Amino acid sequence: MEWTHRPYRDEKDFLALLAFLSDCNAAAPTAGYIQPGDLGWWLGQNEVLNPPDCVEIFEDSVGRVLGFVFSDPPTWAVIQASPGSSDALLDDMLTHSRARAGDPELTVWTFEGDASLIAALKRHSFIRTDKRTVQFEYRSAQQGLPELPKLPVGFSFTAISDSSQLKTARVKLHRAVWHPSQVTASAYEHLRASPAYDLELDVALVGSDGQLVAYALGWIDPKTRTGVMEPVGTHPDHRGQGLGRMVVQEVNRRLAERGAERIIIRTPESNVGACRLYASAGFQNIGYIYDYSR
């Protein structure tokens, strides 16, 4: 098979990549493909990232997507290729990633179940490091519909509607959680315009004083009946009170009600607090995503 590769262009490419990821996850659910919602968040979260600079699409002679590379910054990459892709295609994707990095210390984020990519990395002298990300999953089909969280008196959940005041507060909360953050009001509007976004899954916990104290953003892929939460956070002034777990439970419940049978959350293994939070919300550790470097 012959192929070419080119930079990401426009919204048409975004829709094609969403469909590609959905198809890959349906065909090989244990191989560790990222979810369509992951891509929605990665490309929509700020105004600094320019998709044509960090997404390279590999396609066949009729324009069918065979895979893509997401690299931001250039020295870090996620490689997604169709199930059963040839060694030659994976080698070409790695060669592109190395050339973009312009540095021998390229790191590739790789799920332990992606045997083909791991073999390609070894061919290119990459070595698995000790740094890894935990993938947690909630299986609603087996574990049942998550229960309604029991909130403190005066607290409530809100979906982020088109209220300018609410959207401003949501951006402010995100920036406080992830300081320093590049998320801005206009970037958040861009994110909300994504076809993958559902405002009813963009949920914040409102404190008794009316301030937003924690939030989680859910994404769902109807084809694979899989949900993902990204990002998740609690305001630094309100941590250690179980509020993050409550909002995770609520978004988990909403995803399950929309038909998600698997709900995914990921966090670095070094983030012990987040690992405990997700486990306390009923999520189970189902594997790791490793950093491979050379």
Side-chain angles (χ1 to χ4, degrees), residues 18-251:
L18 291 183
F20 169 78
L21 287 171
S22 184
D23 289 343
C24 289
N25 277 288
T30 62
Y33 292 96
I34 64 171
Q35 296 295 318
D38 292 312
L39 189 68
W41 167 245
W42 291 354
L43 296 188
Q45 62 177 296
N46 63 61
E47 296 174 291
V48 176
L49 183 146
N50 183 35
D53 291 338
C54 62
V55 179
E56 189 78 4
I57 298 175
F58 290 69
E59 55 192 11
D60 64 14
S61 58
V62 296
R64 182 172 63 94
V65 176
L66 301 176
F68 70 94
V69 176
F70 176 88
S71 52
D72 180 59
T75 53
W76 180 88
V78 174
I79 293 173
Q80 305 281 273
S82 299
S85 291
S86 68
D87 290 349
L89 175 60
L90 288 167
D91 287 341
D92 195 16
M93 296 174 83
L94 270 170
T95 298
H96 164 79
S97 301
R98 291 174 60 185
R100 172 164 161 72
D103 188 304
E105 296 182 3
L106 172 67
T107 296
V108 180
W109 204 55
T110 308
F111 191 75
E112 60 185 352
D114 195 342
S116 297
L117 179 56
I118 290 171
L121 288 164
K122 290 179 178 178
R123 289 196 299 273
H124 287 251
S125 302
F126 282 76
I127 297 173
R128 193 178 79 180
T129 73
D130 293 332
K131 187 176 180 181
R132 61 187 187 178
T133 296
V134 186
Q135 179 153 311
F136 288 93
E137 286 190 8
Y138 186 97
R139 299 274 184 145
S140 59
Q142 289 79 36
Q143 295 174 254
L145 189 68
E147 295 181 358
L148 279 167
K150 296 181 180 179
L151 300 181
V153 175
F155 283 63
S156 62
F157 290 117
T158 184
I160 309 301
S161 68
D162 284 329
S163 160
S164 59
Q165 182 177 0
L166 192 56
K167 289 187 290 187
T168 298
R170 170 66 169 74
V171 171
K172 183 179 179 181
L173 172 60
H174 180 92
R175 291 176 65 85
V177 171
W178 300 105
H179 178 79
S181 169
Q182 295 175 330
V183 171
T184 62
S186 55
Y188 184 50
E189 291 289 1
H190 177 255
L191 176 74
R192 289 169 63 90
S194 167
Y197 175 85
D198 180 344
L199 70 83
E200 292 299 325
L201 297 175
D202 191 357
V203 179
L205 180 59
V206 185
S208 56
D209 60 357
Q211 300 299 307
L212 305 188
V213 297
Y215 75 102
L217 176 54
W219 309 81
I220 189 166
D221 177 12
K223 179 172 182 176
T224 62
R225 303 179 73 85
T226 302
V228 63
M229 271 186 250
E230 186 175 19
V232 175
T234 303
H235 193 284
D237 294 343
H238 297 276
R239 290 173 182 162
Q241 304 172 45
L243 305 179
R245 181 179 66 251
M246 294 173 192
V247 76
V248 164
Q249 288 175 315
E250 174 62 14
V251 175

